[in-house]
DNA sequence: ACCAACGGTTTACACAGTGAACCACACAAA
DNA sequence: TTTGTGTGGTTCACTGTGTAAACCGTTGGT
């Protein structure tokens, strides 16, 4: 129901860091809907300010309303303002790239990052939504998420980003069990080659995970010692963030 | 057309700094639609992550998706990152509160502010969307906005926020003419008592205004000298911002 | 115990949204 | 020039979706 609204909102997901602007025909193709339909939906979104149109190229892009809404949410329910300093500290402490993501629209959306100061570092550019089965954030979140969320996530196709990516539900289930046991998740070259990740869940008001904090490092640098440092730092950051957001840890 | 989508998106406008969370019944009342309708629309928005629901109180609030979308827009088309330092400089130079707003949804949405460091200063809290006829930003924007935007804005009711607020279209038209002549707009206790404002338009790619920069001060502090300083600073900031956004000034 | 307000759900029916087919235009290749 | 293929945008008959009245189950105040 309300499939028109769903369609309209799904158009917002067409935009990404690599595809910041999009034309009518492309939008119709990518969304799988008719051009006329997409045109009307885009216009409606434009009237609301959620997208705007480049007067010259006619291409559509995200509009000023999203800035206003985000500002409003931050003003009344700050998350980024709380997370960003923690990520900065995390990156400083571990020397590696840290990021935070929240569950949205059946995926994890990155809402803040702090990149390592090193020349050879993991960059978060272009990967603004994280797949569940291939990232430490995804595993950490999913292991502690609400059942219906898990069910919907498990129904997604498991794309093999690298030869190391797990692609069967059995593997994923086992990984989630292990994650629950350890309290954190780690992946090894399963999303991008030569990148390792360690992530912990952030909990919401109903004791289910709402997102994750993770640190990503070039694999060759990840000694057992560094891994221990990162794990401890990420865990304590995630706990602190959950607490700062006014929620309690489960159990 | 697409009235369902319009309704859904209009629900997002119910949220404000003073009303960050809202229940189903209130949402139905405020939006003027049926409870069932609003409930389905809110659920659809929730699925998309644009709003989320407090599991305890059942109240709805803006969701994490807005943070993600805003981050995405800033990453590919930075505005706040460009404006904020300019507002900081403006506030520093004038000693007063500076803010920037963009046209959205038939109103001006504040997207960034820097408050004065003084004890007695103008606070922007609670006024996250600005009326056209009562604020310097509104007049500055409207004086240089596209004709259809002006028409829609003029059709809005002109609420009298203070005894000084202009309430007739004739006054507004005259004020816009004067604003066009001067190149900037100023108001005197017309939105909030004892607050004066001076604003300049920001231009977009089609030589029409897309927003405004303004400085607000307690009226008693606004000497002729300070007014001259502010006017000059705001004008140059607005010009610089238009240029930095990759657009040209009209004429 | 009562009542009123809340959030949420069900239902038949009306009307809003869909999409095939249709322009007008721009650019490239003949 | 003509033709072809790509845009973005518009029209209109049909149909399936969203609407709103009436309904339930809880909660909280009196």
């Amino acid at each position: 129901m309300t499939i028109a609204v769903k369609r309209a909102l799904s158009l917002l997901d067409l935009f990404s860091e690599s595809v910041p602007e999009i034309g009518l025909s492309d939008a119709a193709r990518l969304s799988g809907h008719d051009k006329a339909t997409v045109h009307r939906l885009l216009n409606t979104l434009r009237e609301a300010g959620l997208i705007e149109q480049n007067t010259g190229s006619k291409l559509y892009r995200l509009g000023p309303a999203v800035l206003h809404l985000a500002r409003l949410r931050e003003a009344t329910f700050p998350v980024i303002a709380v997370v960003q300093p923690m990520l900065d500290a995390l990156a400083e402490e571990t020397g590696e790239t840290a990021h935070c993501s929240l569950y949205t629209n059946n995926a994890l959306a990155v809402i803040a990052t702090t990149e390592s100061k090193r020349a050879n570092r993991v960059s978060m550019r272009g990967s603004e939504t994280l797949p569940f089965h291939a990232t430490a954030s995804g595993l950490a979140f999913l292991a502690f998420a609400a059942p219906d969320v898990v069910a919907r996530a498990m129904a997604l196709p498991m794309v093999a980003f690298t030869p190391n990516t797990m692609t069967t539900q059995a593997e994923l289930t086992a990984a989630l069990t292990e994650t629950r046991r350890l309290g954190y998740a780690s992946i090894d070259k399963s999303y991008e080659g030569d990148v390792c990740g360690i992530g912990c869940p952030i909990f919401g008001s109903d004791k289910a995970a709402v997102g994750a904090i993770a640190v990503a490092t070039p694999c060759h640098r990840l000694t057992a010692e560094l891994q221990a440092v990162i794990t401890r730092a990420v865990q304590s950051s995630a706990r602190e963030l959950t607490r700062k957001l006014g929620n309690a840890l489960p159990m």
Side-chain angles (χ1 to χ4, degrees), chain A:
Chain A
M1 29 179 151
T2 59
I3 75 167
V5 180
K6 255 184 200 156
R7 286 179 181 174
L9 298 181
S10 77
L11 292 179
L12 295 176
D13 295 325
L14 297 180
F15 300 99
S16 66
E17 216 160 312
S18 45
V19 187
E21 292 188 313
I22 199 165
L24 174 60
S25 295
D26 283 338
R29 248 190 305 278
L30 290 170
S31 66
H33 305 301
D34 191 86
K35 244 193 325 177
T37 303
V38 172
H39 179 247
R40 269 179 307 107
L41 295 177
L42 285 174
N43 263 332
T44 307
L45 289 171
R46 184 168 52 79
E47 280 169 31
L50 287 177
I51 63 176
E52 64 184 0
Q53 195 170 18
N54 187 318
T55 47
S57 65
K58 301 276 191 176
L59 295 177
Y60 298 88
R61 62 165 174 248
L62 290 172
V66 301
L67 303 180
H68 178 235
L69 291 173
R71 178 185 159 81
L72 191 49
R73 193 192 135 113
E74 276 295 292
T76 57
F77 192 72
V79 177
I80 292 178
V82 170
V83 173
Q84 195 65 62
M86 297 178 61
L87 292 182
D88 294 348
L90 202 49
E92 178 71 26
E93 185 179 351
T94 63
E96 302 292 345
T97 296
H99 62 273
C100 175
S101 52
L102 294 181
Y103 177 72
T104 283
N105 205 23
N106 210 13
L108 280 180
V110 177
I111 61 155
T113 68
T114 302
E115 299 207 351
S116 161
K117 283 175 190 156
R118 303 203 187 197
N120 175 13
R121 66 172 185 261
V122 177
S123 169
M124 295 300 297
R125 284 198 55 100
S127 58
E128 63 277 347
T129 78
L130 307 172
F132 295 113
H133 67 290
T135 64
S137 294
L139 295 179
F141 166 76
L142 215 53
F144 298 94
D148 60 319
V149 171
V150 176
R152 223 175 313 147
M154 298 285 280
L156 291 172
M158 295 172 67
V159 180
F161 297 98
T162 75
N164 260 26
T165 309
M166 61 179 79
T167 53
T168 68
Q169 297 218 348
E171 287 176 288
L172 179 52
T173 305
L176 294 183
T177 305
E178 179 68 0
T179 300
R180 268 186 289 268
R181 195 178 66 78
L182 293 172
Y184 67 90
S186 60
I187 57 96
D188 181 0
K189 308 190 195 65
S190 80
Y191 185 41
E192 291 185 272
D194 201 37
V195 170
C196 288
I198 296 172
C200 285
I202 309 163
F203 292 96
S205 58
D206 55 353
K207 295 183 177 178
V210 295
I213 285 187
V215 165
T217 96
C219 286
H220 64 81
R221 206 146 69 201
L222 193 64
T223 60
E225 191 185 1
L226 180 57
Q227 175 149 11
V229 169
I230 291 177
T231 303
R232 192 159 26 77
V234 172
Q235 274 183 317
S236 86
S237 287
R239 289 212 182 97
E240 188 184 349
L241 179 55
T242 295
R243 194 177 49 72
K244 278 188 176 165
L245 295 180
N247 299 314
L249 291 168
M251 89 199 75

